[in-house]
Amino acid sequence: MPYIWKEALEQTRGKGLWLGLAMIMLTSIFLIAEARSFPSDLGFEALLLSMYDMNIYLLPLFAIFLASFSIFQEKELKTSMILLTKKESIITFIVKKSAAIQLVMIITFIGANFILALFMKAFLNFHLSSFLHFILVIIVFLLIFNQIGIFLGSICKTKMQLVGANILIWFSVVFLIDLAFLYALPAASFDNLHIFSWVYFLNPIHAMRFYLETELGLFGLTHMSRMMDKFILMEPWIFLMINAIVWPLLFFTLTVIIKNGGERHD
């Protein structure tokens, strides 16, 4: 609990969290205004997909920066060193710090989306089940990119390194991986489609969008071609859960393993 309280105070006192919330809410309000002209049957679902596409660019950036600077500050102010020498092990420190960052960030951003839901309810044909699917995707989004930020904050030794690493990871996730995927696309065939499918859906951005499209009724899983049927190995929610577990766990493990090296020369 002290970690959560400390994290909440630090994040709310800084400008980064409020700047991120303001940008996401302002952009979302413009999208909601635009969605009033959409057809009433699937207009709300189309809005949620548009908001997801907007979040692809903003949410990873804010999550990585806020989480990474939160743990970097612990190193800079030597509070992590004091805790580690007195009562905490590296694992318990990373567990408590990760839990605090995840909880504060998720509550804050999900709270902002519930405020936006009031505008959606007022101006659009609001569907609660569709909105909850969208909220689930945002939670998974934050779980993954907060943990990446914690990893980067642990391994970087200077603020310049950290800023560079954050921008590099954001650019790679949002643009570079898709460019590489498009380059490899001509090599995909019916025989190697399973491998291609795993590579595609282990990108959380692809898995989350596919889950959202199917759950919102914008993409049907019936009457598919043989190639598409083979490409979709399992239910979209299983791909979502694999990403929600594998990536945070991987970056948590890497953080614990590398953290000693990150602090050795501070």
Side-chain angles (χ1 to χ4, degrees):
M1 194 66 188
Y3 277 78
I4 298 170
W5 182 245
K6 179 174 176 290
E7 187 64 30
L9 285 178
E10 287 175 354
Q11 291 292 351
T12 51
R13 285 172 183 166
K15 296 186 176 100
L17 180 65
W18 300 115
L19 179 66
L21 287 173
M23 285 188 67
I24 286 175
M25 291 192 72
L26 191 61
T27 313
S28 300
I29 287 171
F30 278 116
L31 290 175
I32 292 169
E34 180 68 23
R36 289 184 300 170
S37 60
F38 291 175
S40 59
D41 51 349
L42 286 175
F44 180 66
E45 283 71 18
L47 165 70
L48 293 178
L49 204 58
S50 298
M51 287 177 62
Y52 171 77
D53 288 337
M54 176 268 294
N55 275 303
I56 286 174
Y57 298 99
L58 296 180
L59 210 52
L61 190 64
F62 289 120
I64 289 174
F65 263 91
L66 292 171
S68 65
F69 272 92
S70 174
I71 200 152
F72 186 83
Q73 194 176 24
E74 299 283 1
K75 288 173 23 180
E76 197 176 42
L77 300 176
K78 307 295 183 186
T79 51
S80 64
M81 189 176 68
I82 295 168
L83 288 169
L84 289 172
T85 51
K86 283 188 174 178
K87 58 178 182 178
E88 302 282 11
S89 67
I90 287 177
I91 293 178
T92 57
F93 172 72
I94 296 295
V95 167
K96 291 177 181 177
K97 187 68 182 173
S98 298
I101 291 173
Q102 295 283 11
L103 201 61
V104 170
M105 296 281 284
I106 287 173
I107 288 175
T108 308
F109 280 95
I110 294 306
N113 277 286
F114 273 97
I115 294 172
L116 289 170
L118 299 176
F119 292 91
M120 299 175 195
K121 182 80 175 169
F123 296 108
L124 301 169
N125 192 13
F126 186 83
H127 300 146
L128 181 61
S129 60
S130 299
F131 181 72
L132 291 179
H133 286 301
F134 173 75
I135 291 296
L136 175 62
V137 165
I138 296 297
I139 291 172
V140 174
F141 223 129
L142 288 166
L143 278 175
I144 294 170
F145 289 100
N146 284 339
Q147 208 61 49
I148 293 175
I150 292 166
F151 169 69
L152 294 177
S154 297
I155 63 170
C156 290
K157 297 180 178 66
T158 66
K159 282 186 179 175
M160 286 301 292
Q161 274 186 11
L162 186 56
V163 170
N166 286 344
I167 293 173
L168 179 65
I169 293 295
W170 174 78
F171 179 79
S172 300
V173 170
V174 176
F175 298 105
L176 198 60
I177 292 175
D178 269 352
L179 287 176
F181 194 77
L182 286 173
Y183 179 77
L185 194 59
S189 67
F190 193 79
D191 295 328
N192 63 13
L193 206 55
H194 280 172
I195 299 171
F196 198 74
S197 174
W198 274 109
V199 173
Y200 182 83
F201 286 114
L202 278 178
N203 182 334
I205 289 179
H206 294 160
M208 288 187 280
R209 196 179 203 284
F210 186 61
Y211 169 82
L212 206 54
E213 285 177 341
T214 52
E215 294 298 331
L216 297 181
L218 300 173
F219 185 92
L221 294 178
T222 56
H223 307 295
M224 291 189 294
S225 64
R226 278 188 63 211
M227 180 165 275
M228 197 64 188
D229 195 46
K230 188 174 180 182
F231 180 68
I232 301 172
L233 293 170
M234 55 188 80
E235 293 292 324
W237 69 268
I238 300 177
F239 281 124
L240 183 75
M241 288 301 108
I242 289 173
N243 278 275
I245 294 169
V246 168
W247 292 118
L249 192 61
L250 173 66
F251 282 101
F252 172 81
T253 307
L254 289 175
T255 305
V256 172
I257 292 171
I258 301 175
K259 184 164 175 57
N260 273 332
E263 291 197 329
R264 191 169 297 143
H265 304 292
D266 286 349

